[in-house]
Amino acid sequence: MNNSYYETLDENFTQALKLYEEEYSHAELIELLKSGNIVQKQIAALRLEEITSTQDADVLVANLTGQDGKIREAVSMRLNEFMSNEKYLPYFQVSNNYDIFLDAIIDINANICRNVISAIKNLKNDNIFCKQFCTNLAKLSFDLLDKIGKFDFQDGKYKVNKEVFKLYWCLETIYEFYDKMNFTDLKQIILRSKDIQEYTIREKAAKILTKNFDDNELNNAKLELQNDRNYYVRRF
């Protein structure tokens, strides 16, 4: 690696150390989240102690997508912490954030996906959120199923893995929100997912079916997956 790489690394470390050592007001941290560089946004998210308004929440959520991975992961971790607190949860119940949450659950970084799913679980009692989010979650899942259904899994191309990864996290989210989804959509997503060649998708379908639905087709699908050739699928 050339000298400029190490100079940038040293500069970032020095800047991060300064941000940790200096005192910043809440307003200054929010401003850094709005317009700071990668290091500033990352450290500002980690140092933020509270959310005081929907505007604060909007600034935090806006950094969940379209930012460097270090920022997205730090923000997702803090989002999970803040949304798990009843004091701060209402600030995040803004419809403009719902599509950002949907994008974030299929981030390329699995830690971000986990953090965001854990965070939005706290909105299960928000009927407005659930209606909009679950409708769009179903649409995204169908779109991914359509794409994956056309793939040749033998070619091992990156695009196959990328779309499967997204569907995997959609199904993990559906597991948490199954009872908030349109049942017809839910049923079709499960039935289509159980036939995907990639075992991790069948595994998620099997996990959703542990919810014990009163439906013959889904019960048959559950029995089929319990006899799947892959251990991780049939363990459910």
Side-chain angles (χ1 to χ4, degrees):
M1 297 182 182
N2 58 36
N3 290 335
S4 63
Y5 170 82
Y6 291 107
E7 288 172 1
T8 302
L9 199 62
D10 288 341
E11 183 182 331
N12 288 345
F13 177 79
T14 301
Q15 188 176 39
L17 189 62
K18 181 180 178 182
L19 281 165
Y20 265 119
E21 289 178 342
E22 290 190 4
E23 291 296 322
Y24 286 87
S25 68
H26 177 82
E28 288 172 328
L29 291 173
I30 292 296
E31 190 58 39
L32 286 176
L33 278 170
K34 286 181 181 178
S35 56
N37 59 29
I38 292 173
V39 175
Q40 289 170 334
K41 286 191 172 190
Q42 182 187 19
I43 303 303
L46 294 173
R47 289 200 59 183
L48 198 63
E49 294 184 357
E50 61 179 346
I51 297 294
T52 63
S53 66
T54 55
Q55 288 75 25
D56 287 355
D58 289 348
V59 171
L60 190 67
V61 173
N63 282 285
L64 266 181
T65 59
Q67 300 292 331
D68 181 85
K70 297 183 185 70
I71 298 171
R72 301 197 316 274
E73 186 162 2
V75 168
S76 71
M77 182 177 70
R78 299 313 311 283
L79 182 79
N80 188 20
E81 293 174 11
F82 287 128
M83 291 184 68
S84 297
N85 188 322
E86 291 184 3
K87 176 182 177 181
Y88 303 126
L89 185 61
Y91 295 132
F92 294 92
Q93 292 173 276
V94 179
S95 60
N96 291 340
N97 293 331
Y98 300 165
D99 286 340
I100 299 176
F101 293 150
L102 187 66
D103 286 341
I105 66 164
I106 54 171
D107 194 283
I108 196 170
N109 182 328
N111 289 331
I112 295 171
C113 302
R114 291 188 191 94
N115 287 337
V116 175
I117 293 170
S118 180
I120 64 174
K121 282 194 301 185
N122 296 289
L123 295 176
K124 282 184 180 180
N125 293 325
D126 183 337
N127 292 330
I128 295 174
F129 167 78
C130 289
K131 183 177 181 180
Q132 179 178 326
F133 181 81
C134 290
T135 297
N136 291 335
L137 175 61
K139 183 179 183 301
L140 176 59
S141 300
F142 283 126
D143 288 346
L144 291 168
L145 284 164
D146 289 342
K147 291 179 182 178
I148 293 169
K150 298 174 184 176
F151 288 155
D152 178 2
F153 279 82
Q154 300 305 314
D155 62 18
K157 289 183 179 178
Y158 169 72
K159 68 177 183 178
V160 175
N161 295 330
K162 184 179 179 182
E163 301 307 318
V164 166
F165 185 85
K166 291 178 182 178
L167 181 59
Y168 176 97
W169 288 107
C170 281
L171 293 173
E172 181 67 18
T173 309
I174 287 171
Y175 173 79
E176 298 294 344
F177 286 88
Y178 79 98
D179 57 338
K180 306 297 182 181
M181 298 191 66
N182 175 278
F183 181 74
T184 300
D185 288 343
L186 175 65
K187 180 176 177 178
Q188 288 306 309
I189 290 168
I190 294 171
L191 293 178
R192 291 179 64 181
S193 295
K194 78 174 179 61
D195 293 328
I196 297 294
Q197 285 182 260
E198 171 55 49
Y199 83 87
T200 58
I201 300 302
R202 301 198 307 279
E203 178 189 5
K204 289 301 175 186
K207 183 177 179 180
I208 297 170
L209 287 169
T210 61
K211 297 298 184 179
N212 295 320
F213 299 97
D214 185 16
D215 181 275
N216 288 336
E217 285 185 88
L218 291 182
N219 287 335
N220 288 336
K222 182 176 182 178
L223 289 173
E224 180 182 337
L225 292 173
Q226 285 175 339
N227 290 283
D228 193 270
R229 62 186 179 277
N230 186 284
Y231 164 75
Y232 292 101
V233 178
R234 65 175 182 267
R235 65 184 171 142
F236 287 106

